[in-house]
């Protein structure tokens, strides 16, 4: 009996607590639901009011535009011969009316093909002095805008352009004349906007009103036309009335019945209310769709339901918990203690396992890892890091790192300043990638070249600091140098017989009379040898651009561009060029010169016969982002007036050996732009090409910039590139000497092996040939 009573007491408390909890939650949910339903009704009413106001505003604005256009057309109809001055007076109210989204108002007339010269003289005499009628494809009738008034700053009306270029304009003009009333065009991109980048183009439309004379037998004279940009119109109309709370979408029904979204007007929030209503514009039916987030509508939602729900739930939970605690007592407290200690034991075991796994990973990897706190104190350093740094004792004072570890710049001689070290840069919030450092100390007397990546420590670690990962690249740099020497030896061996054949061909040409038929064959041989020589040098440059060590320093781009252009144009007097302000960049001197020489060489080379080359070099500083964060990114532009590049070829123009059909008529190897892309990508930048608005091409190159107060190094880039290649040149000369010794030793009697040709003087690749190539 006693055991039964204990069991009843044990279950009475939980059952009572559960009853209190369920009852309280039910009441809280019912109250909150009622409040939320009332708020939803208010939101629906507010949304109906906002939608009606937006629709009325759009209809009113469209009607005002149409009324102004028809008033100007009516005024024009009173003049038999509308002069420019009369058009200017008649259309002046449109300029003062504040027509949102309006681009221009134009007076358009129909002209038959045979009457174009006469009509051009006529309208010039009426005030359009500079008018030139440019007909499109042959047709019985053309539509020209002879007068135009700009309604938006920056727009240039297409005066004199045949509007048959746009089928939407042709259709709306024909429909307006047919119905003797204002008509609206299908949505399209205005002719004046088609030269803009795709992201700035808008779906637009025009209103066209026919102009008939006031005679008993009306005579058709033309149209008054008004262009509107959809996004500018709707954003201007809804911008005030929506107060940042309505999303709008204007849908136009085109002549073929299809529905086109002219513009989307966005607003913050997650819309859950939608209204839609059609309205008439001219001879078309449009639809205005508005959406809103009920939480952002004034008076439509409050926090009361949520507060009631949360507050009621908390109070109910607290009350039921108190009931449960009082009912369960000691047994429940003991169970909670057991659960809490079990979780702590599991968490402690998991922490030990994670720490052991992290330690095993750091010990196993071959790359060095070092972590310091905000003061420079070393927190973690794995065995690979200690081995690469050549010391087992960490140093917690950054100002002593250079002496303690023996840190030098890549030249192995200049001590690296503390502020340039990757860990210090990372502590200041600046990521550092692939920073080359030489470590030379007592344990590393021969020196080791390492590449260091530094990053600020993730805030989730709970403290401020930095982490660096470094690896030994000494063998990699030796391999790259050997590869350059090998490429130089191969190029030398291939060019020696070419030089011999070229010399014999030139001697033969000197001995032949001018009328000899053999001269043409010899000239072909000389041309083939030159092309082969250029190909070898270009391939050598292609390999060098990929494998040569990168030694970026602050460079004056303007001085280098001017030097390249002056060298390129020294023997020419038909070239015009200009250089705009060019911010300095952080780049390898030899490779940057190679890049500019290729792009400028192409600009001077790929021009049509009889056209004087014109080159423009300009640049701009972009927003800080990525590796160039300390100095931002610099965008260098090289524009020309050459043959241009078809749109279909632009995605492939930087591929190896790719040449356009037009460029194939000019000498080249198809590697020049591929080399340019390799150079830019090795600096972490991008290269692209687009059409030059004045004709030709415009190349864009982004490179890391430098802070404004940085002292520039080495304005004579030619000498800098030669100094960078001094070690490779010496190695190449040694390799050639060894090869000559081997060939000399191979001359055994009776083998009949010919003596090698006399060695030509060692020459580095000639940049003026390889840098003129275009893909």
């Amino acid at each position: 009996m006693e055991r039964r009573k204990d069991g009843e007491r044990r279950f009475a408390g939980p059952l009572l607590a559960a009853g209190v909890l369920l009852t309280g939650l039910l009441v809280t949910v019912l109250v909150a639901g009622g409040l939320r339903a009332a708020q939803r009704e208010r939101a629906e009413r507010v949304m109906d009011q906002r939608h009606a106001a937006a629709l009325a505003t759009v209809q009113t604005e469209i009607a005002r535009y149409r009324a102004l256009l028809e008033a100007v057309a009516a005024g024009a109809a009173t003049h038999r011969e509308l002069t420019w001055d009369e058009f200017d007076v008649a259309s002046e109210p449109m300029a003062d009316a504040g027509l949102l989204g309006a681009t221009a108002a134009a007076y358009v007339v129909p002209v038959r093909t045979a009457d174009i010269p006469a009509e051009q003289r006529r309208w010039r005499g009426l005030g359009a002095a500079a008018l030139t009628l440019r007909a499109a494809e042959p047709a019985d009738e053309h539509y020209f805008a002879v007068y135009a008034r700009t309604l938006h700053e920056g727009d240039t009306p297409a005066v004199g352009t045949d509007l048959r270029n746009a089928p939407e304009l042709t259709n709306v003009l024909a429909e307006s004349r047919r119905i003797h009333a204002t008509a609206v065009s299908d949505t399209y991109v205005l002719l004046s906007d088609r030269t803009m980048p795709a992201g700035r183009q808008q779906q637009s439309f025009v209103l066209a009103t026919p102009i008939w004379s006031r005679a008993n037998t009306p005579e058709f004279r033309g149209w008054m036309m008004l262009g509107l940009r959809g996004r500018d119109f709707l954003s201007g109309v809804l911008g005030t009335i929506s107060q940042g709370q309505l999303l709008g979408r204007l849908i136009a029904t085109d002549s073929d019945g299809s529905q086109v979204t002219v513009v989307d007007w966005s607003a913050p929030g997650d819309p859950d209310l939608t209204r839609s209503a059609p309205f008439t514009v001219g001879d078309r039916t449009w639809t205005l769709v508005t959406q809103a987030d009920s939480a952002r509508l004034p008076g439509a939602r409050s926090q009361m339901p949520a507060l009631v729900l949360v507050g009621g739930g908390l109070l109910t939970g607290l009350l039921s918990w108190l009931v449960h605690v009082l009912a369960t007592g000691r047994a429940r407290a003991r169970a909670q203690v057991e659960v809490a200690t079990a979780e702590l034991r599991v968490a402690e075991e998991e922490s030990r396992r994670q720490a052991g796994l992290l330690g095993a990973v750091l010990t196993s990897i071959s790359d060095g890892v070092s972590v310091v706190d905000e003061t420079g104190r070393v927190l973690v350093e794995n065995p690979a890091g200690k081995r690469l740094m050549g010391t087992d004792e960490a140093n917690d004072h950054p100002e002593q790192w250079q002496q303690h570890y023996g840190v030098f710049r890549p030249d192995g001689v200049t001590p690296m300043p503390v502020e340039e070290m990757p860990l210090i840069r990372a502590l200041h919030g600046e990521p550092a990638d692939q920073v080359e450092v030489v470590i030379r100390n007592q344990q590393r007397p021969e020196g080791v070249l390492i590449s260091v990546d530094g990053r600020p420590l993730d805030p989730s670690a709970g403290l401020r600091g930095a982490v660096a990962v470094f690896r030994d690249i000494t063998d990699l740099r030796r391999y790259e140098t050997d590869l350059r020497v090998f490429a130089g030896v191969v190029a030398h061996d291939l060019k020696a017989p070419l030089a011999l054949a070229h010399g014999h061909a030139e001697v033969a040409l000197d001995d032949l009379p001018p009328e000899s038929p053999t001269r043409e064959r010899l000239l072909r041989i000389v041309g083939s040898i030159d092309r082969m020589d250029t190909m070898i040098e270009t391939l050598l440059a292609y390999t060098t651009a990929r494998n040569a060590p990168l030694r970026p320093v602050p460079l004056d781009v303007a001085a280098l561009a001017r030097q390249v252009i002056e060298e390129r144009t020294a023997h020419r007097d038909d070239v015009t060029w200009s250089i705009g302000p060019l911010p300095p960049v952080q780049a390898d001197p030899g490779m940057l010169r190679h890049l500019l020489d290729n792009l400028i060489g192409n600009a001077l080379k790929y021009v049509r016969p009889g056209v004087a080359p014109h080159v423009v070099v300009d640049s701009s500083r972009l927003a800080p982002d990525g590796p160039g964060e300390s100095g931002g990114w610099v965008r260098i532009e090289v524009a020309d007036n050459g043959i241009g590049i078809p749109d279909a070829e632009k995605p492939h123009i930087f591929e190896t050996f790719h040449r356009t059909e037009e460029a194939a008529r000019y000498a080249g190897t198809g590697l020049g732009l591929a080399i340019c892309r390799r150079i830019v990508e090795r600096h972490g930048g991008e290269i692209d090409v687009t059409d030059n608005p004045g004709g030709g091409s415009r190349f864009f190159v982004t490179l890391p910039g430098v802070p404004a107060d940085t002292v520039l190094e080495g304005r004579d880039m030619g000498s800098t590139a030669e100094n960078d290649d001094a070690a490779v040149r010496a190695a190449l000369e040694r390799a050639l000497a060894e090869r000559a010794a081997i060939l000399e030793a191979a001359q055994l009697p009776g083998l009949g092996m010919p003596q090698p040709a006399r060695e030509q003087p060692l020459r580095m690749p000639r940049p003026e040939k390889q840098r003129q190539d275009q893909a």
Side-chain angles (χ1 to χ4, degrees):
M1 179 66 68
E2 188 66 26
R3 182 177 299 176
R4 181 179 178 183
K5 290 181 179 180
D6 291 340
E8 290 176 355
R9 286 195 296 269
R10 186 169 65 251
F11 289 106
L15 290 176
L16 180 60
V20 172
L21 179 63
L22 291 176
T23 302
L25 290 178
L26 178 61
V27 173
T28 300
V29 170
L30 290 176
V31 174
L35 293 174
R36 184 70 185 91
Q39 287 184 354
R40 185 70 182 185
E41 292 179 2
R42 287 197 298 272
E44 295 285 350
R45 290 196 299 270
V46 173
M47 182 62 188
D48 290 338
Q49 295 170 359
R50 290 296 177 93
H51 176 73
L55 180 62
T57 302
V58 172
Q59 289 178 306
T60 301
E61 284 298 298
I62 290 290
R64 183 167 72 96
Y65 290 18
R66 178 176 178 177
L68 278 173
L69 186 65
E70 291 176 348
V72 175
T78 61
H79 301 278
R80 179 175 181 80
E81 296 261 340
L82 182 66
T83 66
W84 161 252
D85 293 336
E86 293 167 345
F87 171 81
D88 186 50
V89 173
S91 61
E92 186 174 1
M94 301 184 75
D96 300 332
L99 303 181
L100 300 172
T103 61
Y107 180 47
V108 180
V109 298
V111 180
R112 304 185 71 83
T113 302
D115 299 336
I116 290 178
E119 287 296 310
Q120 179 173 291
R121 290 192 299 271
R122 173 192 172 200
W123 290 107
R124 285 182 176 179
L126 292 175
L131 178 65
T132 301
L133 302 183
R134 298 177 294 276
E137 59 184 16
D140 294 337
E141 190 175 53
H142 304 272
Y143 309 123
F144 297 106
V146 295
Y147 301 145
R149 173 181 285 276
T150 301
L151 302 179
H152 181 269
E153 184 179 355
D155 284 330
T156 302
V159 176
T161 300
D162 191 351
L163 301 186
R164 277 190 172 274
N165 290 326
E168 295 84 0
L169 295 180
T170 303
N171 294 337
V172 72
L173 294 177
E175 181 66 13
S176 173
R177 183 197 292 188
R178 184 183 68 81
I179 64 176
H180 287 235
T182 300
V184 181
S185 72
D186 291 344
T187 57
Y188 75 110
V189 178
L190 297 177
L191 295 177
S192 59
D193 291 355
R194 294 183 181 182
T195 58
M196 295 181 178
R200 295 180 54 193
Q201 295 180 3
Q202 303 182 29
Q203 288 292 333
S204 306
F205 55 91
V206 298
L207 301 175
T209 300
I211 301 175
W212 296 84
S213 66
R214 301 294 181 85
N216 293 332
T217 302
E219 175 188 358
F220 180 73
R221 294 178 178 173
W223 300 267
M224 196 64 64
M225 190 171 68
L226 176 65
L228 291 174
R229 292 190 179 95
R231 186 192 308 150
D232 295 345
F233 169 73
L234 189 62
S235 62
V237 171
L238 295 184
T240 301
I241 194 169
S242 70
Q243 298 179 351
Q245 298 160 354
L246 286 183
L247 290 81
R249 186 166 70 253
L250 190 61
I251 302 174
T253 303
D254 285 347
S255 57
D256 58 358
S258 62
Q259 291 189 331
V260 179
T261 299
V262 178
V263 64
D264 281 328
W265 171 255
S266 60
D270 186 12
D272 56 352
L273 300 175
T274 302
R275 298 293 186 272
S276 175
F279 62 97
T280 301
V281 179
D283 59 335
R284 303 290 174 85
T285 298
W286 287 8
T287 302
L288 177 65
V289 179
T290 57
Q291 294 180 304
D293 184 351
S294 59
R296 294 178 176 271
L297 294 177
R301 177 177 290 187
S302 68
Q303 301 298 324
M304 184 58 67
L307 292 176
V308 169
L309 186 62
V310 174
L314 291 176
L315 290 176
T316 300
L318 179 61
L319 181 60
S320 62
W321 177 76
L322 289 174
V323 171
H324 184 268
V325 168
L326 293 175
T328 57
R330 182 178 178 183
R332 186 174 182 277
R334 181 179 298 170
Q336 289 178 342
V337 169
E338 289 293 331
V339 172
T341 55
E343 292 178 352
L344 288 175
R345 288 194 297 271
V346 172
E348 183 180 4
E349 182 63 28
E350 180 64 18
S351 298
R352 288 198 188 98
R353 192 183 70 82
Q354 292 291 342
L357 178 61
L358 178 60
V361 170
L362 291 177
T363 303
S364 302
I365 61 176
S366 60
D367 290 347
V369 178
S370 181
V371 182
V372 299
D373 64 9
E374 60 183 348
T375 65
R377 183 171 62 91
V378 179
L379 303 177
V380 176
E381 189 173 27
N382 69 340
K386 295 178 180 179
R387 184 177 63 257
L388 288 176
M389 299 303 292
T391 176
D392 293 330
E393 297 181 1
N395 187 292
D396 297 335
H397 304 283
E399 65 276 4
Q400 301 175 4
W401 285 355
Q402 197 284 321
Q403 295 83 3
H404 180 75
Y405 296 106
V407 185
F408 298 88
R409 285 180 174 171
D411 58 9
V413 177
T414 307
M416 174 167 281
V418 175
E419 63 273 9
E420 293 184 12
M421 294 183 181
L423 268 176
I424 299 301
R425 292 168 58 184
L427 283 176
H428 295 162
E430 176 188 355
D433 293 322
Q434 299 180 2
V435 178
E436 295 185 3
V437 175
V438 172
I439 301 298
R440 182 184 294 111
N441 49 45
Q442 293 181 355
Q443 287 75 23
R444 289 282 193 176
E446 75 285 356
V448 60
L449 180 64
I450 64 174
S451 176
V452 187
D453 295 336
R455 287 288 187 278
L457 196 61
D458 191 279
S460 61
L463 75 163
R464 184 172 175 269
V467 58
V469 178
F470 41 95
R471 61 193 62 85
D472 187 353
I473 60 171
T474 306
D475 292 338
L476 176 62
R477 288 293 176 262
R478 290 172 181 168
Y479 166 76
E480 291 174 349
T481 302
D482 292 344
L483 184 60
R484 295 177 66 189
V485 172
F486 172 75
V489 171
V490 172
H492 184 274
D493 287 347
L494 291 175
K495 289 164 61 69
L498 290 178
L500 182 63
H502 190 282
H504 284 299
E506 288 184 343
V507 171
L509 282 171
D510 293 339
D511 294 340
L512 289 174
E515 65 277 2
S516 174
T518 308
R519 289 184 62 86
E520 182 178 354
R521 300 175 183 173
L522 289 175
L523 289 174
R524 292 181 182 177
I525 292 175
V526 172
S528 299
I529 292 173
D530 288 339
R531 287 191 296 274
M532 186 65 180
D533 182 73
T534 300
M535 176 65 76
I536 293 171
E537 292 179 346
T538 305
L539 289 173
L540 182 61
Y542 186 69
T543 303
T544 302
R546 179 182 63 184
N547 299 311
L550 196 66
R551 300 182 178 89
V553 296
L555 298 175
D556 185 349
V557 183
L560 178 56
R562 183 172 291 103
Q563 181 181 352
V564 170
I565 292 179
E566 289 175 351
E567 291 178 359
R568 283 279 186 174
T569 60
H571 60 289
R572 303 178 62 173
D573 56 2
D574 61 334
V575 179
T576 58
W577 54 275
S578 64
I579 298 178
L582 300 176
V585 300
Q586 187 83 10
D588 183 278
M591 291 191 180
L592 179 59
R593 179 185 178 88
H594 198 155
L595 171 68
L596 291 176
D597 194 77
N598 261 308
L599 296 179
I600 295 172
N602 283 348
L604 299 176
K605 174 181 178 181
Y606 291 98
V607 294
R608 301 188 186 280
V611 177
H614 179 68
V615 184
V616 177
V617 183
D618 205 347
S619 103
S620 58
R621 184 178 292 275
L622 305 179
D625 183 20
E629 190 171 358
S630 61
W633 287 93
V634 172
R635 171 168 161 157
I636 301 174
E637 303 179 5
V638 179
D640 60 55
N641 62 339
I643 60 177
I645 301 172
D647 291 339
E649 298 287 347
K650 288 186 176 70
H652 313 288
I653 199 65
F654 297 100
E655 296 176 0
T656 306
F657 298 114
H658 183 85
R659 307 196 75 201
T660 66
E661 182 178 353
E662 186 75 12
R665 303 174 185 174
Y666 299 77
T669 61
L671 284 175
L673 291 180
I675 294 173
C676 290
R677 182 174 66 176
R678 281 196 171 182
I679 292 174
V680 174
E681 289 179 349
R682 290 198 62 191
H683 286 79
E686 297 178 351
I687 184 171
D688 201 358
V689 63
T690 186
D691 293 333
N692 193 18
S697 303
R698 181 178 292 268
F699 286 86
F700 302 91
V701 174
T702 57
L703 293 173
V706 297
D709 57 351
T710 302
V711 178
L712 302 184
E713 299 182 9
R715 294 179 180 266
D716 186 0
M717 305 308 166
S719 61
T720 304
E722 292 176 0
N723 293 335
D724 290 340
D725 289 338
V728 176
R729 188 188 301 272
L732 177 57
E733 291 177 350
R734 290 195 300 271
L736 290 173
E738 293 173 1
R739 182 182 62 83
I742 293 172
L743 291 176
E744 182 178 356
Q747 303 302 312
L748 298 179
L751 293 180
M753 180 180 295
Q755 293 291 331
R758 181 173 61 88
E759 297 290 346
Q760 299 295 326
L762 178 65
R763 295 183 299 158
M764 294 303 290
R766 291 176 290 181
E768 61 273 12
K769 289 186 178 181
Q770 61 198 29
R771 293 171 185 155
Q772 294 183 15
D773 298 336
Q774 184 177 20

